[in-house]
Amino acid sequence: MAFMVVLAFVLCSVIAPNDAQGSQRLFQGLAPVATNGEPFPWNMLRLPDTVIPAHYHLLVHPNLTTLNFSASVRIEVDVMQSTNSIILHSKDLLITKAIIEEETGASQSRKPLQVLEYPPHEQIALVSSDMLLPGGKYFICINYAANLSDGFYGFYKSTYRSKDGETRVLASTHFEPTSARMAFPCFDEPVFKANYSVVIRRGDKHIALSNMPKVKTVELGSGISEDHFDVSVRMSTYLVAFIVCDFKSVSQITSTGIEVSIYAVPDKWDQTHYALEAAVKLLEFYEQYFNIYYPLPKQDLVAIPDFQSGAMENWGLTTYRETSLLFNAETSSASDKLWVTMVIGHELAHQWFGNLVTMQWWNDIWLNEGFARYMEFVSVDATYPELQVGDYLLGTCFAAIGWDSMNSSRPISSAAENPTQIKEMFDTVSYDKGACILHMVRSFLTEDIFQSGIVRYLKKFSYRNAKNEDLWNSIANTCSEEDFTSGEFCYSSSQASKNAYQYAGEHLDLKAMMNTWTLQKGIPLIIVERRGSTVTLRQERFLKAVLHSDPVWSSLQQGYLWHVPLTYITSNSKNIGRHLLETQSDTIELEGEASWVKFNADMNGYYVVHYEGDGWDSLIHLLDRNHTALSHKDRSNLIHNAFQLVSAGRLTLDQALDLSRYLRHETHNIPLLQGLGYLEAFYRMIEKRNITDVAQNLKNYILQYFKAVIDKQTWSDEGSVSDRRLRSEVLGLACDLGYPPCVKKAHQLFTDWVESNSSLSLPTDVIEAVYSIGAQSAEGWAYLLEKYQVSMSGAEKNKILGALTSSKDTGKLLRLLELGMEGDVIRTQDLSTVIYSVSRNPIGHFLAWDFVKKHWSELVEKFHLGSFCIRNIIIGTTAQFSSREELEEVKMFFESIREQSSQLRVTQVAIENLEKNIKWLERNLETLRDWLLKNLQ
C-alpha cells in the first residue's frame, strides 16, 4: 500500500494538472492500471487541461463490405503545462501506431509514443520519452482501425432494402454525447473545441458527406476516391459527422446564399421536398431572429434508415430518423407534417444554441435542448402559423409537470459525470421543463427583451462554451468591467446582479430568480384563497406521489422556495395582473371584489394552482355557465390542474370530474383533448386491473358524453391541423372502445383498401384507426404485416405498427416483439416503440413486461444504459401497473439487475409512478364508481 501511495504522488507531479484537478484526483484514490499492467497516469473521468487540441486532421476509410474502417488522425495540440503524458478518449479502437511531431524553427522531430489504455474511463495515455513544454508546436499522429459499430453510436453501419429487394449498406456517425471516441481518438468533452479537416475514402458507387462542403476529390485508383472537405469552424467533438452512402438529394439556396440539401435513400427521394421547403424557411427565420448569419456555407439534412433518437444537430450535417424528415402526402397525416416541421426547427435552432454556443459541461445540456425545444414553437409559429403550434406548448409543459411533480425528478442543472449519467440528462426535464421556463421568462420580460438578451448571449459566447449563469446575465443586460460597453441596459460589475427591467416596482435579480428554477428540482404549488378583494397566496412544493398526510411530506418540503412570476385575471378585469412571489406567503389586493380569480393566465407560467375556499366551485360554475369567459388555454390549464390536484390529494375526484362536465359545451379542440385524455387514462388503468363494472361504465360514459364530438367527425383530411388532430384522436379512441358506427365505417374502409390491393388512398388522419380495426382479424393482421415489409413510407409503417400492436391475439403480439428483437422485418430502432405499444394493449401488458425481464441484457446491449430507448422501455412497461403485487415484482426485478438499475434515475421514476397509481386507485376508485353511476344517462 505504501508503494502505491508514493507512486500516485509521483504520477501526479509528472502530469501536473491544475490545482483543483490535482486535489480531486488525489481524493479519488490510487492510480489505475492500464491493460498492459502498467500504471495509468490519470484517474479521473474528465480529462486534464494540460494539453488541449487546436486542429484535427482526420482520414477515414470505411469498407462497407467487411464492415470495418481504417483511419488516422493528426491532432495539433497546445501544451498548457509541462507534461510527458497526453490523456485523451478512445473506445473500441485498435491503435497501431502513435508518434509525436515537434516543430522547433526549421527542424522537425518525430518520436514514438507509448500507448496505455484504460477502458473503464474510455481513455488512453500517450506517454512521451521527453517532456512536452508550453509554447512548443506539437502534432499527435495516430493510426488506428475498428469495426463499424452495430448499434446507433460512433461510426455505425446502417442498411436499407431497395424496391427491387437489394440490401444496401451505408455508414453514418452519431457522437452525442460521448461517442466521438468510438470513431477517432480525441478530447471528447464539449469544452475542447477545435477545427477539423476531414478526408473520407469511398468507393465510386458512394458519396461522402461531412460538416463542411467538399473542396476536392482525388482518384486513388481501384475504384477508390478520396473526398477532402473544407476546414470546419471551431466546434466540439460531438458535433463532428461524416457519412458514406448512395443517397440522392434535392437542394435550394437561401436568401443569404446557404445551400440547403435534403438527402434520402434513392427510392424515397420524392419524400424530401417538404423538408427542403421547411428547412429553407426556418433557417432564414433563425438568421433574422438571432441577428447572426448561419456561419457555414451549407446545411445538409440526411434521413438515416437506422437511427435511435429523433435527429442530431451535427453542425452543417444534421441527421434524422426517416419519420422525422420525410413527408409522403399520401400516407403522412397532419400530425406527421407538424412533427417533421418541429424536428427540423429543433435541429436548426441547435446550429446556434449548442453548436455556436455550447454548454461547458453536460450538467447544463438544457442550455442546448431546452432552447431548441422552445425555439421549435417560436420558429414554427412564425413560419407556419397554420400549423397552430402554440397549442402544443401546453402539452409540452403538462408533460414536464408530470415528471417534475415526482420526488424522483432532478434539477434542470444536475451533476453528470459518466456516460450513462450524461445520456440520462437528455430527458423531459432538460427538454420540456427547459422550454417551459424559457417560455415563462419570455412572457415575463416581454418578447423584445427576451430576444435581445439571447442575441447578446449568442454573440458574446460565439465559438465558446457557456454556463447556466451566463444565460441569465446576458438576458439581464449585464456586463462586467472587463467587457463594459455603453448602452441603455449595461451596468458595471457592481450592478451586474441586477436586471434593468422594472417589475413590481423594484429591480429584479434575474439570476437569483432563475436559480430557483434550474438549481432545485420540482415545481411550486400556488395556493390561492380569495376573501373579498384580498387574495392570500402561499407556495409549497407540488408532489403527486406523496400526500399532505404522509409522514415524509414535511421533510420533502424543507428548503424549497421559488421566485414565481404570477399572472392572474378576475371577473372584473381581463387585464392581466402581475405579481412576483418571492416568499412563502404574500397577499394581493384586487381592484374591488371579484366573483372569481384565475391564476397563470394562458398557462404562461410553470406552476400548479390550487384554489381554497370556494375558489374551485366558482370556477366550475363559471365554466358551466360561460366557459368562453376564459381562453381555451386557461380552460385546458384548469382541467389539467384539477386532475393533478386529485393525484396530490388536494381536490376530490368528483370535483375534477364535475369541472370536466362543462366539456359538453366546448368547441375548442385543445380542452376537449385534455379532458378526454384524463378519462381515457383512467379507463386504461382500470381496464388493466380488470375492474369490469367501473371500466364498462367509464367506457359507456366516454361514448355517451362525447357522442356529439365523435359523430361530427368526418372520415377525411379536411379542416385545420387542430381539427385533424382531434379527428385522429377521437375516431381512434371511439373505434378502440367499440363504438359501432366507428367500427363499421373503419371496417368498410379497410375492406375496400384490401380489395383494391392497397391502391385506394385512405384519409391520412384516420389510417391508423382503419388499420387497427382491420388488424383484429387474422387475415387483416397478416395483410398489414406484409404491407409493413414493403412500404416505402416511414409514416405509413408507424401507423401499421400501431395497428399490429392493437391485436387481441397474444401470439401475434409476441411475434411482433420477437421480430423487433431480430431487427430485420422490424428495425431495432423501433423495438422500444413495439414494446411500449404492446404494453399499452391490455392483452399485451404483462407480455411486454415479461419480455423486458427475459431480454434485459440484450436490450441494454442494443440501446445502452441511460438512452432514451431504455427509459422508454422501463416507463412504458410499468406506467399502468397499479397493484402492490406489481410494485413488489418491479422492485424485485430492479434489485436483480441492481448493478445497472442503480445507475439509472428512471427506475426510481418508475417505482414512484407505480406507487402513485396504487394510492390513486385506493383513494378514488369508489368515488369514480359512484360518480359514474350518478352521471350515466
Side-chain angles (χ1 to χ4, degrees):
M1 285 294 292
F3 167 77
M4 292 300 293
V5 171
V6 172
L7 179 62
F9 175 79
V10 171
L11 289 170
C12 281
S13 64
V14 170
I15 288 186
N18 63 46
D19 290 343
Q21 288 177 321
S23 301
Q24 186 181 350
R25 185 184 155 205
L26 283 173
F27 280 118
Q28 284 199 345
L30 305 178
V33 178
T35 52
N36 66 352
E38 293 190 29
F40 189 82
W42 188 249
N43 70 344
M44 291 169 59
L45 279 165
R46 295 204 209 177
L47 301 179
D49 55 9
T50 51
V51 176
I52 59 176
H55 196 139
Y56 292 80
H57 298 265
L58 183 62
L59 168 65
V60 182
H61 183 188
N63 187 320
L64 300 187
T65 302
T66 58
L67 302 180
N68 54 21
F69 66 97
S70 55
S72 64
V73 65
R74 186 173 188 259
I75 313 173
E76 179 184 343
V77 297
D78 293 322
V79 177
M80 312 308 292
Q81 298 180 40
S82 299
T83 182
N84 72 337
S85 297
I86 302 166
I87 313 297
L88 63 164
H89 288 109
S90 175
K91 181 181 179 182
D92 298 333
L93 302 177
L94 176 63
I95 295 173
T96 55
K97 184 179 181 181
I99 62 171
I100 189 163
E101 297 177 356
E102 180 181 3
E103 293 183 7
T104 52
S107 64
Q108 184 182 64
S109 63
R110 295 166 59 91
K111 296 180 180 177
L113 294 167
Q114 182 187 19
V115 181
L116 301 176
E117 298 184 55
Y118 188 60
H121 288 179
E122 300 175 357
Q123 293 172 354
I124 58 173
L126 306 178
V127 183
S128 169
S129 56
D130 299 328
M131 292 293 285
L132 311 181
L133 304 175
K137 196 168 184 62
Y138 298 98
F139 298 87
I140 307 164
C141 303
I142 305 171
N143 293 349
Y144 63 99
N147 292 323
L148 291 172
S149 170
D150 273 333
F152 303 95
Y153 292 104
F155 193 23
Y156 70 94
K157 71 177 176 70
S158 175
T159 62
Y160 71 92
R161 187 173 287 118
S162 66
K163 277 184 178 176
D164 58 13
E166 180 189 357
T167 297
R168 299 182 184 175
V169 181
L170 61 133
S172 181
T173 58
H174 186 102
F175 293 160
E176 189 181 35
T178 59
S179 294
R181 63 194 69 171
M182 296 173 68
F184 60 104
C186 57
F187 298 80
D188 198 12
E189 294 176 7
V191 75
F192 292 115
K193 291 194 171 188
N195 302 100
Y196 293 82
S197 297
V198 176
V199 177
I200 305 291
R201 288 181 183 163
R202 57 170 175 83
D204 289 343
K205 292 182 180 179
H206 294 99
I207 61 169
L209 302 170
S210 190
N211 304 84
M212 300 299 289
K214 184 172 64 176
V215 292
K216 69 175 180 179
T217 297
V218 178
E219 303 291 340
L220 301 180
S222 301
I224 301 296
S225 298
E226 192 173 84
D227 290 333
H228 294 243
F229 296 89
D230 209 349
V231 179
S232 77
V233 295
R234 274 175 49 81
M235 60 184 183
S236 303
T237 48
Y238 76 88
L239 295 170
V240 177
F242 36 90
I243 301 169
V244 176
C245 62
D246 64 349
F247 290 0
K248 286 181 64 179
S249 66
V250 58
S251 302
Q252 185 177 330
I253 306 296
T254 70
S255 58
T256 54
I258 308 302
E259 183 177 22
V260 177
S261 302
I262 314 294
Y263 286 83
V265 304
D267 292 332
K268 299 178 183 179
W269 178 84
D270 60 337
Q271 300 176 44
T272 60
H273 295 82
Y274 175 70
L276 180 64
E277 172 205 310
V280 168
K281 199 179 276 193
L282 288 160
L283 195 65
E284 290 176 343
F285 167 80
Y286 283 134
E287 286 190 317
Q288 291 188 355
Y289 189 88
F290 296 138
N291 195 24
I292 299 171
Y293 286 121
Y294 175 71
L296 275 58
K298 62 96 174 174
Q299 168 66 229
D300 296 335
L301 298 84
V302 188
I304 306 295
D306 297 286
F307 202 86
Q308 182 176 185
S309 55
M312 176 58 207
E313 66 267 20
N314 317 300
W315 214 347
L317 183 61
T318 53
T319 47
Y320 297 76
R321 262 194 191 226
E322 291 184 332
T323 50
S324 299
L325 189 66
L326 304 181
F327 179 80
N328 183 322
E330 299 229 333
T331 56
S332 298
S333 66
S335 294
D336 293 328
K337 190 172 196 176
L338 177 63
W339 171 253
V340 167
T341 315
M342 292 183 72
V343 175
I344 293 172
H346 183 102
E347 302 312 322
L348 293 185
H350 271 311
Q351 307 302 295
W352 286 265
F353 275 98
N355 299 9
L356 184 65
V357 179
T358 310
M359 75 278 140
Q360 190 156 334
W361 182 250
W362 300 106
N363 63 308
D364 278 333
I365 187 59
W366 87 274
L367 288 174
N368 290 14
E369 299 302 347
F371 251 107
R373 172 57 51 87
Y374 185 51
M375 291 309 299
E376 292 174 29
F377 297 98
V378 175
S379 62
V380 175
D381 188 48
T383 53
Y384 289 92
E386 70 276 12
L387 294 180
Q388 300 168 286
V389 71
D391 287 340
Y392 296 86
L393 182 60
L394 289 176
T396 297
C397 297
F398 293 156
I401 291 169
W403 187 285
D404 212 19
S405 55
M406 311 287 271
N407 192 44
S408 50
S409 184
R410 64 170 182 85
I412 282 180
S413 184
S414 300
E417 293 298 325
N418 66 45
T420 295
Q421 293 168 342
I422 292 167
K423 285 188 183 78
E424 274 210 307
M425 293 293 287
F426 292 78
D427 64 2
T428 301
V429 173
S430 289
Y431 285 74
D432 295 350
K433 182 179 180 179
C436 294
I437 68 163
L438 289 170
H439 179 64
M440 180 170 66
V441 171
R442 183 184 183 218
S443 304
F444 176 52
L445 297 178
T446 74
E447 160 61 21
D448 289 345
I449 290 172
F450 178 80
Q451 184 180 356
S452 65
I454 62 175
V455 168
R456 182 177 296 105
Y457 168 78
L458 290 171
K459 288 188 173 180
K460 181 174 181 179
F461 293 97
S462 288
Y463 304 105
R464 295 165 56 198
N465 299 78
K467 301 188 294 292
N468 204 24
E469 63 189 49
D470 296 322
L471 174 64
W472 309 130
N473 287 339
S474 296
I475 294 179
N477 290 292
T478 64
C479 57
S480 65
E481 295 284 4
E482 297 81 52
D483 62 2
F484 179 82
T485 55
S486 60
E488 184 179 358
F489 298 122
C490 203
Y491 294 84
S492 65
S493 58
S494 63
Q495 297 169 298
S497 65
K498 295 294 183 181
N499 187 315
Y501 318 117
Q502 290 287 329
Y503 193 87
E506 59 187 53
H507 281 294
L508 168 74
D509 187 338
L510 185 66
K511 177 182 168 184
M513 169 184 166
M514 296 314 298
N515 280 348
T516 71
W517 296 95
T518 59
L519 302 184
Q520 65 180 351
K521 67 181 179 181
I523 179 171
L525 172 65
I526 306 301
I527 301 168
V528 175
E529 187 169 15
R530 174 182 50 81
R531 290 182 179 173
S533 61
T534 301
V535 176
T536 303
L537 304 169
R538 304 196 315 274
Q539 67 161 295
E540 60 187 44
R541 182 184 173 198
F542 179 61
L543 289 166
K544 275 199 301 193
V546 183
L547 303 182
H548 194 279
S549 56
D550 290 346
V552 297
W553 188 86
S554 294
S555 63
L556 295 178
Q557 293 289 329
Q558 290 177 9
Y560 285 88
L561 178 71
W562 288 266
H563 294 181
V564 190
L566 300 173
T567 56
Y568 58 93
I569 55 176
T570 73
S571 58
N572 293 338
S573 174
K574 290 300 184 291
N575 293 327
I576 296 176
R578 299 177 183 275
H579 182 80
L580 183 62
L581 178 64
E582 299 179 286
T583 52
Q584 295 287 0
S585 60
D586 207 347
T587 58
I588 298 174
E589 286 297 326
L590 304 177
E591 296 176 2
E593 291 195 19
S595 58
W596 55 264
V597 59
K598 196 275 173 187
F599 274 76
N600 202 357
D602 278 343
M603 204 187 153
N604 287 328
Y606 185 73
Y607 51 93
V608 177
V609 184
H610 175 50
Y611 302 91
E612 290 192 329
D614 65 354
W616 275 111
D617 290 338
S618 63
L619 289 168
I620 292 170
H621 180 66
L622 173 67
L623 288 174
D624 202 45
R625 179 174 47 85
N626 181 24
H627 68 279
T628 57
L630 299 174
S631 72
H632 75 273
K633 292 182 179 180
D634 277 328
R635 303 195 297 269
S636 301
N637 178 223
L638 284 175
I639 293 169
H640 172 265
N641 275 200
F643 283 107
Q644 293 294 302
L645 289 164
V646 171
S647 292
R650 290 287 190 171
L651 202 64
T652 62
L653 178 60
D654 52 358
Q655 281 181 291
L657 290 168
D658 285 345
L659 181 145
S660 74
R661 282 187 58 79
Y662 98 89
L663 289 170
R664 65 189 182 277
H665 307 305
E666 184 61 79
T667 57
H668 199 285
N669 299 336
I670 300 304
L672 276 171
L673 285 171
Q674 188 66 28
L676 189 57
Y678 277 109
L679 294 174
E680 182 185 356
F682 301 155
Y683 172 74
R684 299 294 181 201
M685 182 165 61
I686 289 164
E687 181 189 32
K688 286 185 172 66
R689 283 293 301 276
N690 202 28
I691 306 171
T692 52
D693 65 317
V694 180
Q696 184 62 46
N697 283 341
L698 184 50
K699 178 167 79 170
N700 292 342
Y701 177 79
I702 292 170
L703 293 177
Q704 283 181 20
Y705 197 72
F706 291 93
K707 184 178 187 300
V709 176
I710 297 168
D711 288 346
K712 79 173 185 179
Q713 302 304 317
T714 61
W715 294 72
S716 70
D717 283 340
E718 63 189 22
S720 68
V721 171
S722 180
D723 290 338
R724 295 177 64 182
R725 180 191 173 206
L726 182 73
R727 177 182 303 130
S728 293
E729 298 281 344
V730 166
L731 291 179
L733 178 60
C735 282
D736 188 51
L737 295 180
Y739 184 53
C742 186
V743 173
K744 182 180 179 181
K745 179 67 173 179
H747 187 270
Q748 185 60 54
L749 285 172
F750 185 77
T751 301
D752 294 345
W753 179 69
V754 172
E755 289 178 351
S756 75
N757 196 24
S758 66
S759 63
L760 176 70
S761 289
L762 295 170
T764 59
D765 298 326
V766 299
I767 284 178
E768 189 166 347
V770 171
Y771 288 172
S772 294
I773 292 301
Q776 300 315 307
S777 72
E779 300 79 14
W781 195 89
Y783 185 81
L784 283 166
L785 183 59
E786 184 182 321
K787 295 305 297 181
Y788 179 86
Q789 295 179 65
V790 299
S791 174
M792 284 291 161
S793 165
E796 182 181 43
K797 288 172 81 80
N798 272 358
K799 293 175 178 64
I800 294 174
L801 199 54
L804 292 171
T805 59
S806 72
S807 171
K808 300 301 183 281
D809 183 331
T810 55
K812 290 181 170 55
L813 298 180
L814 185 59
R815 185 177 175 203
L816 290 175
L817 292 168
E818 291 168 345
L819 288 173
M821 185 62 78
E822 290 166 9
D824 184 19
V825 173
I826 297 175
R827 289 183 177 275
T828 302
Q829 66 175 10
D830 297 317
L831 174 56
S832 70
T833 302
V834 173
I835 294 171
Y836 180 83
S837 298
V838 169
S839 73
R840 286 180 56 82
N841 183 335
I843 302 299
H845 195 207
F846 293 108
L847 194 70
W849 171 243
D850 290 340
F851 182 85
V852 169
K853 291 189 295 181
K854 179 181 178 181
H855 295 283
W856 174 255
S857 297
E858 297 161 84
L859 292 170
V860 171
E861 189 176 334
K862 289 178 185 292
F863 297 120
H864 294 194
L865 272 185
S867 67
F868 162 78
C869 284
I870 289 295
R871 297 200 303 273
N872 198 33
I873 288 167
I874 290 174
I875 293 295
T877 51
T878 61
Q880 289 175 312
F881 282 149
S882 57
S883 73
R884 297 195 178 276
E885 294 77 18
E886 290 162 340
L887 174 61
E888 287 310 309
E889 184 176 333
V890 170
K891 284 182 174 179
M892 283 174 59
F893 174 64
F894 288 161
E895 184 62 33
S896 72
I897 56 164
R898 181 170 179 75
E899 186 177 343
Q900 294 165 325
S901 65
S902 62
Q903 301 178 55
L904 296 174
R905 182 180 285 109
V906 71
T907 55
Q908 303 165 32
V909 175
I911 288 172
E912 189 176 1
N913 192 55
L914 212 165
E915 291 171 339
K916 171 187 69 80
N917 290 345
I918 292 169
K919 290 179 181 178
W920 192 96
L921 267 182
E922 288 176 348
R923 290 196 342 271
N924 295 303
L925 180 60
E926 287 307 314
T927 302
L928 179 59
R929 178 179 276 124
D930 294 343
W931 190 90
L932 287 169
L933 290 172
K934 187 170 70 174
N935 284 275
L936 274 171
Q937 297 173 0

